[in-house]
Amino acid sequence: MAMPRPNAAQLACGSCTVIFSTLAMLLLSRTGSDGTDASVAAIAVIAVVALGLGVLVALTVPLPRTRGNAAARPAAPQAVPAGRTAPAPREADEPVRERAAS
């Protein structure tokens, strides 16, 4: 079974989630640029968590629903009993035509 590809809405929501959650977590964590190993590790953890949130959001955005398999398949022709003719198409299905006056 092939894995479905994400649509544009899923990609947009996931990307926005990654960007905004990264910014929010960096601002809230007050991770400085002092170059310590703790700061580098904190930034790495924040980046991984933000990426995970983005993937989660992209996968949970609802996909458009289809009408199901019945709409995709045309109706099977019905059998006509022997000795009978097939019913004529209804007049409502045909466009109305007016006769010219002669």
Side-chain angles (χ1 to χ4, degrees), residues 4-18 53-64:
R5 296 182 182 214
N7 59 20
Q10 289 173 313
L11 290 175
C13 288
S15 298
C16 288
T17 301
V18 170
L53 281 172
V55 169
L56 180 69
V57 167
L59 293 177
T60 57
V61 170
L63 294 172

Side-chain angles (χ1 to χ4, degrees), residues 20-90:
F20 291 129
S21 63
T22 302
L23 288 175
M25 287 188 280
L26 285 173
L27 289 173
L28 292 174
S29 68
R30 295 186 181 177
T31 303
S33 61
D34 56 359
T36 63
D37 290 335
S39 297
V40 173
I43 292 172
V45 168
I46 288 172
V48 169
V49 169
L51 187 61
L53 281 172
V55 169
L56 180 69
V57 167
L59 293 177
T60 57
V61 170
L63 294 172
R65 293 183 181 228
T66 58
R67 299 180 97 188
N69 291 338
R73 278 186 262 135
Q78 296 180 351
V80 178
R84 290 187 150 178
T85 59
R90 297 184 319 191

